[in-house]
Amino acid sequence: MKISYNWLKQFINTDLSTDEADSLLTDLGLEVEGVEHFESVKGGLEGVVVGHVTECKKHPNADKLQLTKVDIGLNEELQIVCGAPNVAKGQKVPVATVGTTLYDEKGEAWKIKKGKIRGEASHGMICAEDELGLGESHDGIMVLAENLQPGTPLKDIFEIEIDQVFEIGLTPNRADAMSHWGVARDLRAGLIQMDKNTPLNTPTVSSFHVEDRSRKINIEVKDSKLAPRYAGVTLSGVSVKASPAWLQNRLKAIGLKPINNIVDATNYVLHELGQPLHAFDADKIKGNKIIVQTLKKGTKFTTLDEVTRELHEEDLMICDEEKPLCIAGVFGGLDSGVTSHTNNIFLESAYFDPISVRKTAKRHGLNTDASFRFERGIDPNSIEYALKRACILIEEIAGGKVTSDIDDLYPKKIEDFQVFLSFSKINQLIGHEIDTNIIKNILSSLEIKVNNVTESGLGLTIPSYRVDVQREVDVIEEILRVYGYNNIPLNEKFNVSVSLSDKFDDHKIQQITAQQLVGKGFSEIMSNSLTTAKYTDYSNTISKENQVEILNPLSQDLAVMRQSMLFSGLESLAYNINRKNEDVKFFEFGKTYHKYAKGYHEPKHLALFVTGKKNPESWTNALEKTDFFYFKGVVDSIFERLGIDSIKLKTAESSVFNEAISLIHNKKQLVSFGTVQKSILKKFDIEQEVLFADFNWEEMLTASRTNQFTFQEIPKYPSIRRDFALLLNDNVKFNELEEIATKTGKNLLKKIDLFDVYMGDNLPKGKKSYAVKFIFQDENKTLTDKQVDKLMNKLKLQFEKQLGANLR
């Protein structure tokens, strides 16, 4: 939110510098994220002076150029070549001297230099009004008043607005500060705390009066819950034209484009007081009546942006007797707004239900200055005051007169909030005792009324515009932010409670796993749990029936909760690959969300994503691409780090994988991993292979509890290695060999590894060759060759019997 410091000073007289005001506002909870310098004329007309054209003749080498001599108050006159058709001897004109920086309509700078034009020297430039930013005309040079003295700086003639604009990061709860008036209130509270008791200059509406009652427009509110207060008044005989410079400058300073004096006046009051207003062309209101109501679902309505929208049955609309005119609190209609032909207006000021406005704005994808304020909650008691303020302003800048009484429908008054504030609670939460008089002064500066004082606390009335202050703790927060967090002393002693926690707590196991993965070159990502419903078409592992839908999604790309960790991870991979970061290793801890007949389910997962090369490019490393076996090593390292063993392997079947395996522990699947289907990768424009692992994190936590790390001495006796080259059917898996060997070798077989696989032309059809390594060791004695040979024969027989294997 942009706040003009010049505008702010209209409400509060302060000599604070911009930096001091910035610091105080931030301390008060209105964080200033930046300060922007504003000039109503960019460059401030620096270097532009009044010139007197003393001579003007045709350029000897160009028919459309003039050669002039111009007096700018120096000892010598300047020769300037000018192409404007209206330049003439005797004129007073604006001259941009050599070295002056001017700006084009896009705000890009260009500097005036000495030069020659068609062979004649030119020392400056005689300017048109659009070249200076003083207007839009480029028909010719700007001719100034004859009584001006040559050499007079143009910035002394034209009023240049110079301002500092605060960019405030307004938190959603601070609805009271959504205007210059609201910020001035907070600033005053801070100044009072600094012993600078500065009064607020409230804009007066005492001059408001009804000229006659010739143009009353009746108002009917059909649902007072959606529109608790609605007021309107008619002005007749207005003249729609450009706003005066001071008003345009105020709006430009905060980033608004002036439109016309009526619309600008409503925008001015909105940003001044925080009360949205809307002006209708009164002649377009059929039946001389405004009806505030909802319409049936599917009703067509065209808004100011020329988009035809279908209304929801809960959208509150401002209508006449024939048609809808405006989406209440959100956006005006194309056919009812103010145009250059408008002479009579109906001015609306209202308090609409915040929840209703927010839902309507989200449904239609609209975010306007009005909806921003209505959906957070405005001051319901400023409706009439803002309406009178706007009427006075419109009469001042657009003429016309008020031709009806203010019709104010407010059937049930919104009451102020009542809170009891305990002194002991203040001390308990703040940890510091604040003097009672200081507390009462702070509350008074915040317009919080102290009804009664007791030994234990204060009875308070909170103004209705402070929608975020309804509890005792909220009042204490208000006291603290004005008192100043920096003014709370730090105690020399801190008391800390040490909690007993389980070493298998989720966050501890998660941290151990994360450190393991980071050590292997992985980076952690955090993806949005909201995603698009179209991903259910990519895989049969997730379904539309089980998806959790968002009732009021920000967009269709964020309309459902994710059912799989895969697709949000692929989005991150695609983002990196598109930016030439093609070697990626990601991991993410997160939840998926499912809706079943028995209720909702939110399992936690650990997801791994790998693509590209194993290691960064270097002269010391061979460029090897990541593959399935590298990825399996990463997965195995996690189990090893967490002490999870007795893992069984089985082939995984899933529509997201080309080939994959699952690892099982105590009949529970801990992880499935493999290479992602190319058809899925194509949806994300990923052309390189991607490996994905999906851990069931809850089962991983359970498995980590059942396994204990054990430590033992290094055996005194040596191990013995033996190798087999086995000819096997190509459907035999290594884990089958491993299971048979483990049962046969019993306690003496310590390790079995596959170190080579061959499938070639020299083998029978349907066969493959495995080179397998066996490590034997007896912890109590040295094994003999005879013992090992006996074990190897047993292994050979079992492999032949159970797998049909042959030694090569």
Side-chain angles (χ1 to χ4, degrees), residues 40-41 44-46 48-52 92-95 132 134 142-161 245:
S40 58
V41 176
L45 298 179
E46 290 290 339
V48 183
V49 298
V50 175
H52 179 214
K92 298 290 177 63
V93 294
V95 176
L132 298 174
L134 294 172
M142 188 177 187
V143 180
L144 304 174
E146 294 183 1
N147 60 348
L148 295 175
Q149 291 297 315
T152 303
L154 223 64
K155 65 181 180 180
D156 295 343
I157 300 170
F158 294 92
E159 293 184 9
I160 307 298
E161 177 86 6

Side-chain angles (χ1 to χ4, degrees), residues 160-312:
I160 307 298
E161 177 86 6
I162 297 176
D163 198 357
Q164 302 299 321
V165 181
F166 300 113
E167 180 67 49
I168 293 179
L170 193 67
T171 52
N173 63 309
R174 291 303 307 277
D176 62 296
M178 295 187 296
S179 65
H180 286 76
W181 173 249
V183 173
R185 271 191 311 230
D186 253 27
L187 190 60
R188 176 177 175 267
L191 289 171
I192 290 175
Q193 186 61 24
M194 297 167 60
D195 295 326
K196 297 180 179 180
N197 196 348
T198 305
L200 277 177
N201 303 318
T202 308
T204 180
V205 293
S206 60
S207 62
F208 174 84
H209 69 284
V210 180
E211 191 76 23
D212 61 55
R213 293 170 176 80
S214 59
R215 192 67 188 266
K216 176 175 171 55
I217 291 180
N218 297 311
I219 299 172
E220 179 185 356
V221 176
K222 290 191 174 182
D223 191 339
S224 59
K225 288 184 179 179
L226 298 182
R229 188 173 186 182
Y230 190 93
V233 67
T234 306
L235 290 91
S236 302
V238 298
S239 175
V240 180
K241 56 187 177 182
S243 296
W246 69 266
L247 177 53
Q248 291 197 36
N249 290 337
R250 283 284 180 266
L251 297 179
K252 287 177 181 177
I254 59 173
L256 294 182
K257 182 181 179 181
I259 298 173
N260 60 54
N261 50 2
I262 305 298
V263 175
D264 293 349
T266 60
N267 283 334
Y268 182 87
V269 173
L270 181 149
H271 289 277
E272 179 185 53
L273 303 177
Q275 172 62 50
L277 304 170
H278 190 73
F280 298 89
D281 188 325
D283 297 325
K284 296 177 182 177
I285 299 175
K286 302 299 181 184
N288 219 34
K289 186 175 183 180
I290 286 290
I291 305 171
V292 184
Q293 62 183 344
T294 56
L295 300 175
K296 67 178 183 180
K297 185 177 181 178
T299 300
K300 304 286 188 182
F301 179 66
T302 304
T303 45
L304 279 171
D305 55 0
E306 300 183 2
V307 174
T308 300
R309 306 174 189 275
E310 283 194 9
L311 300 178
H312 188 272

